[in-house]
Amino acid sequence: MRHHSGKANRTWLIILGVLFLAAGVLAALIAAGGLERFIGGSPGRSDRVLSETDGQGFLAGEYVPWGMLLAGVILGVLGLWWLVAQVPRSRPAGTFRLQEDPAHGITVCDPQVLASAVSHETEQLPGVVGSTVRLRGSADEPDLAMKVTVNSDADVQGVIARIQQEVVPHLVSALEVPLNTFGLEIDASNKAGAPGGGATVSSRGTVVY
Amino acid sequence: MSIPTAPPSLPSGRDVDDRGETVLARRVLEKTASQVARDETFAGGSSGGFLGIGSRADLSARPDASVELAGNVASLKVTVGLPYPMPLRQTTEQLRRRITERVTELTGVQVRQVDITVSWLKPPQRDPRGRRKLQ
């Protein structure tokens, strides 16, 4: 459930493509001599030709270094922003709007509140050491991602079954809509489970087969 | 010693508006809404702590409510906690309807809008002794 900067990349590629296309067309016009004809006709018929002093005057202006510096800073900032945008990040989840009736009022709930309840319920399962729950999307199309850590004695299939048959249906009944996506990752740990939540029973005796 | 036989009557010709006015403090509306939410719905609030620090979720506490008054019309904002799992849309709609009806009934102020924020959800607690029944 990582968010990549596809939109920013496409936008900048379009901008760069247009700029390079324009530069290519300009270079082709200059090489073919078409630009001079387009601007002021042939040099022989032109009223005024750009002299050497004009060019020096243009480049020697006091504003040129500052303009170049400003352009460099802007390009640097934009480049840095583009670079930062490449870092994959989690898709931001806004507040869930459960009801929105302008006449009577709205109902909102932070997804973190629901995620905490789901996490708390998951950690009550036998053999579960800890859990991380991410709830994203919207109230009408929620996405649930869970990472559940179990201890070495846990019945992993049992934990998965109880998550699917109890924990997830409880969330669905709370939101009153089916989950858009559901991801579950099981991790193992040497830690002991929650007190009272373990499934291990130590005993002595003779085992008869 | 004489006993007055008739209540003192107002001077004739005096308008009802001149007799005085009754002012309902906003805080009264807020407390009424909180009390209705606690007593007549599943909603709870927070208790304990100091200046909001260290408070804990408590289903038996009154939810927080704030009121904006415009004449005789009120808009409420209520922050509640609810048991989990519970259908949130249905529960909060029931809460909204109940607050609207009862606050209007009790105070005479017309409640136009109730915005609800669900701030926590409380899953059922395990056996506090930490024991589990063998099956």
Side-chain angles (χ1 to χ4, degrees):
Chain A
M1 298 177 70
R2 292 280 180 180
H3 179 65
H4 295 268
S5 57
K7 191 176 177 183
N9 287 345
R10 284 193 293 275
T11 305
W12 275 103
L13 285 174
I14 289 170
I15 291 170
L16 286 177
V18 169
L19 285 176
F20 279 120
L21 188 66
V25 169
L26 188 65
L29 282 173
I30 291 171
L35 184 66
E36 293 167 354
R37 282 196 298 274
F38 179 73
I39 292 173
S42 64
R45 287 179 295 170
S46 162
D47 295 329
R48 184 171 175 271
V49 177
L50 188 66
S51 65
E52 201 171 303
T53 52
D54 289 338
Q56 283 174 351
F58 175 74
L59 292 173
E62 290 181 0
Y63 56 86
V64 172
W66 293 107
M68 296 293 282
L69 182 66
L70 184 65
V73 169
I74 291 172
L75 278 175
V77 169
L78 289 175
L80 193 64
W81 170 76
W82 196 6
L83 200 64
V84 170
Q86 304 308 308
V87 179
R89 60 195 178 279
S90 299
R91 191 154 47 114
T95 304
F96 280 5
R97 285 180 173 264
L98 299 168
Q99 278 178 346
E100 194 165 9
D101 181 4
H104 298 104
I106 60 171
T107 301
V108 295
C109 180
D110 194 317
Q112 188 58 41
V113 171
L114 284 155
S116 297
V118 173
S119 179
H120 187 273
E121 190 178 10
T122 306
E123 288 169 6
Q124 304 300 309
L125 299 178
V128 174
V129 176
S131 67
T132 307
V133 178
R134 296 270 186 273
L135 197 59
R136 303 196 183 282
S138 65
D140 294 324
E141 292 182 342
D143 299 318
L144 175 66
M146 297 177 68
K147 182 179 179 183
V148 178
T149 307
V150 297
N151 62 21
S152 55
D153 300 324
D155 174 9
V156 177
Q157 291 298 328
V159 169
I160 293 172
R162 288 192 67 175
I163 288 172
Q164 290 176 335
Q165 292 165 11
E166 295 175 23
V167 176
V168 173
H170 285 169
L171 177 64
V172 170
S173 71
L175 287 170
E176 299 174 72
V177 290
L179 293 179
N180 185 37
T181 60
F182 169 50
L184 175 61
E185 180 183 346
I186 300 288
D187 194 13
S189 169
N190 290 327
K191 288 182 186 173
T200 305
V201 178
S202 59
S203 62
R204 284 184 179 182
T206 304
V207 179
V208 180
Y209 294 98
Chain B
M1 184 175 169
S2 64
I3 299 171
T5 54
S9 60
L10 289 166
S12 61
R14 191 169 172 186
D15 194 9
V16 174
D17 293 338
D18 295 336
R19 297 177 194 170
E21 59 180 5
T22 303
V23 178
L24 191 67
R26 204 178 58 180
R27 186 71 193 136
V28 173
L29 280 171
E30 291 172 352
K31 281 194 173 180
T32 306
S34 297
Q35 195 73 27
V36 167
R38 192 195 74 168
D39 292 346
E40 303 184 20
T41 70
F42 294 104
S46 55
S47 62
F50 178 70
L51 294 175
I53 301 168
S55 58
R56 59 186 172 81
D58 187 356
L59 283 171
S60 62
R62 279 200 310 226
D64 290 329
S66 63
V67 175
E68 284 181 20
L69 266 174
N72 199 38
V73 178
S75 296
L76 278 83
K77 289 183 180 174
V78 187
T79 303
V80 299
L82 292 171
Y84 178 86
M86 187 170 269
L88 296 178
R89 293 170 209 255
Q90 289 178 30
T91 309
T92 52
E93 183 54 35
Q94 181 191 349
L95 172 67
R96 176 178 291 111
R97 202 179 313 123
R98 199 66 194 141
I99 289 177
T100 303
E101 288 171 1
R102 288 292 285 161
V103 171
T104 302
E105 190 180 313
L106 292 169
T107 64
V109 174
Q110 187 187 349
V111 176
R112 187 186 60 189
Q113 194 174 346
V114 180
D115 292 336
I116 299 171
T117 302
V118 181
S119 61
W120 50 264
L121 295 167
K122 194 166 192 175
Q125 295 296 310
R126 286 188 312 171
D127 186 355
R129 292 168 298 179
R131 295 177 182 173
R132 302 180 68 232
K133 289 180 181 175
L134 292 174
Q135 295 178 353

